[in-house]
Amino acid sequence: MVDPWLALEIGVDPAERIAQVGIAHTAFLTGATPQRVRDVVRRSWERSMPLDPEGTPPVDLVDDTLESYRAGHPLAPVLPIFRDLLGGIAQDGAHLLAVCDTHGRLLWVEGHPGLLRRAEGMNFVPGARWDEAHAGTNAPGTALAVDHSVQIFATEHFCRRVQRWTCAAAPIHDPATGRILGAVDITGGNHLATPQSLALIRATARAAEAFLAAHAPIEPDVVQVSALGRDEAQLQVGGRRIRLGRRHSELLVLLVDHPEGRTGEQLALDLYGEDRPHPVTVRAELSRLRRVLGPELLDSRPYRLRCRVRADFRTVTDRLERGDPAGGLDAYPGSLLPGSDAPGVARLRRLVDGQLRAAVLAAADPALLAAWTATPAGTDDLTAWEALARVLPPGAPRRPLALARARQLAREYGVSRATSLQRRQK
């Protein structure tokens, strides 16, 4: 069986393949259906359509910001593994080693100085954004998009400045959560389109994940709380995973949100509003929660958690405070305890969703807006759909969908903004 992630089959003439795919690429840009192009490449071209094929990716991170960001990145400890396995290739004058984060931002690009200078001409430099939304079809960006190792050969690249290169990349996952941390890539000439290079990059990614798993810090006193996109929170204490009931989920979220502690009266108000029952009812719930957590983890007078807590909704807001809306959206699987009507939880839910929404709208990034409108909180967000329609250029595959959804929501909400938007977009 032919490996669909491999660019060239054995025996195929590279020059002939370059010409075939180049013709298909030109036809695709004029609206024709590309022929004799791998499915993974065709689908990537379709996702890349909003881009100018003559453009270059933007540089997001520079100087001290770049240094600080990559020093604290989870893949920083793995860099010696990459250099050990791929460093020899990167110094041979024909290849580059690159590592990017989960948003396609290049963190490290290493290799022979002459090749590095050539790569600067297409902004293949540390800090540049090489996800598909900003760089089109390319190995690290496409590997992140499809969550699979892949080769991209010459004219398979969407942007023409990159079509002199061939690359192979594989995503790297957090062993604890399965979340994509980034990708490792080797870039060079057409000679790179071999089964061996794809196997090497896959093995390097697996070695990186094994290293991360073996060196994960053991923090038995840290409680992990997952409450986004689920009606019942999940708690990880030491090696135990505990699924809490609805009321205990609400209490835990409220205690996480108030590390200084809450009285029984305050928690009753947070849970029930003005119709709160006697604090004895809340104390009974807290007593049961203490048995679940363990008596050493929950204090009283006031009630507060006696441990370090990592909560997924705090991860979102922390990343937003650092000016990273893409990171915030990446950590957001859905609203906080969406089935809860407890006033304190509803207030916190509106705060988290509102901060994320505002950051995405301010960024005006098509990829972020598309991701937000795909969430339960964003699917009925008229302003976000209008913003997505505005930033997508004519001919972008998602633009008709965005306009249609904006018109539909405008009708449902009884407003006429989508009509004026459509006129502006024509």
Side-chain angles (χ1 to χ4, degrees):
M1 179 181 293
V2 176
D3 186 344
W5 310 102
L6 188 65
L8 287 183
E9 300 176 33
I10 301 297
V12 172
D13 179 11
E16 181 180 343
R17 185 65 178 150
I18 289 172
Q20 289 173 347
V21 178
I23 292 170
H25 181 264
T26 300
F28 177 76
L29 294 178
T30 63
T33 301
Q35 302 296 323
R36 304 186 68 180
V37 175
R38 289 187 293 157
D39 284 345
V40 64
V41 172
R42 176 184 54 77
R43 291 192 295 268
S44 178
W45 285 358
E46 291 170 353
R47 292 191 296 268
S48 304
M49 269 303 287
L51 287 175
D52 176 3
E54 306 298 337
T56 54
V59 176
D60 279 3
L61 304 171
V62 295
D63 302 331
D64 292 344
T65 303
L66 171 63
E67 291 298 329
S68 175
Y69 180 74
R70 63 185 179 182
H73 195 272
L75 291 180
V78 193
L79 193 56
I81 299 290
F82 298 141
R83 288 170 174 161
D84 184 44
L85 296 176
L86 302 174
I89 293 176
Q91 294 299 327
D92 67 358
H95 302 85
L96 295 174
L97 158 65
V99 181
C100 68
D101 70 3
T102 189
H103 309 296
R105 290 177 292 203
L106 297 179
L107 303 179
W108 296 276
V109 181
E110 300 182 356
H112 189 276
L115 204 60
L116 288 171
R117 284 193 294 271
R118 284 180 54 200
E120 289 176 2
M122 59 178 183
N123 264 6
F124 197 75
V125 296
R129 188 80 176 268
W130 277 75
D131 60 332
E132 286 187 338
H134 295 84
T137 306
N138 69 94
T142 302
L144 293 174
V146 300
D147 193 12
H148 201 284
S149 54
V150 65
Q151 279 180 345
I152 299 297
F153 172 68
T155 44
E156 290 182 334
H157 289 91
F158 183 80
C159 293
R160 289 197 170 99
R161 292 191 185 190
V162 195
Q163 291 182 348
R164 292 173 293 176
W165 303 78
T166 291
C167 44
I172 301 166
H173 303 84
D174 184 326
T177 66
R179 186 173 68 88
I180 296 177
L181 298 175
V184 59
D185 167 85
I186 47 176
T187 291
N190 299 339
H191 58 276
L192 196 59
T194 65
Q196 292 78 14
S197 70
L198 187 59
L200 176 61
I201 206 69
R202 285 171 172 164
T204 301
R206 299 298 81 77
E209 291 171 349
F211 178 90
L212 291 170
H215 293 81
I218 300 174
E219 299 177 300
D221 58 334
V222 175
V223 173
Q224 307 272 359
V225 177
S226 301
L228 292 176
R230 55 174 74 224
D231 291 328
E232 296 179 334
Q234 180 174 281
L235 186 66
Q236 183 172 338
V237 185
R240 296 184 299 152
R241 288 184 182 271
I242 304 167
R243 183 172 179 175
L244 301 178
R246 174 183 168 183
R247 191 61 74 197
H248 286 172
S249 298
E250 293 167 340
L251 280 169
L252 183 63
V253 164
L254 292 169
L255 291 171
V256 170
D257 191 45
H258 296 279
E260 75 284 358
R262 301 291 271 174
T263 66
E265 284 281 354
Q266 289 171 323
L267 286 171
L269 187 63
D270 287 338
L271 286 174
Y272 302 103
E274 295 298 334
D275 298 328
R276 60 189 182 277
H278 194 277
V280 170
T281 304
V282 177
R283 285 199 291 271
E285 291 286 358
L286 286 162
S287 178
R288 288 188 282 269
L289 179 61
R290 181 182 281 110
R291 287 197 293 271
V292 173
L293 297 177
E296 71 281 359
L297 296 183
L298 182 59
D299 267 338
S300 57
R301 299 189 183 136
Y303 294 102
R304 61 185 170 188
L305 294 171
R306 193 195 305 166
C307 56
R308 289 189 294 155
V309 179
R310 289 182 182 167
D312 53 1
F313 61 93
R314 283 288 169 239
T315 299
V316 172
T317 55
D318 288 346
R319 291 180 180 181
L320 295 177
E321 288 172 5
R322 295 200 303 265
D324 184 13
L329 193 56
D330 181 61
Y332 176 83
S335 293
L336 176 69
L337 299 181
S340 172
D341 57 2
V345 174
R347 189 163 49 247
L348 182 57
R349 181 168 60 234
R350 289 192 300 270
L351 177 65
V352 175
D353 285 355
Q355 287 181 341
L356 181 58
R357 176 181 184 270
V360 169
L361 289 173
D365 183 310
L368 296 184
L369 286 164
W372 170 252
T373 54
T375 67
T379 188
D380 295 328
D381 188 339
L382 172 58
T383 301
W385 282 106
E386 289 179 333
L388 178 59
R390 276 195 300 270
V391 299
L392 290 173
R398 286 184 299 203
R399 184 171 172 270
L401 170 64
L403 283 169
R405 183 61 176 154
R407 288 195 298 269
Q408 178 187 10
L409 289 173
R411 286 194 300 270
E412 293 177 3
Y413 299 153
V415 297
S416 59
R417 292 152 60 193
T419 302
S420 61
L421 172 67
Q422 185 181 19
R423 286 197 299 266
R424 290 196 302 270
Q425 293 289 304
K426 286 183 177 178

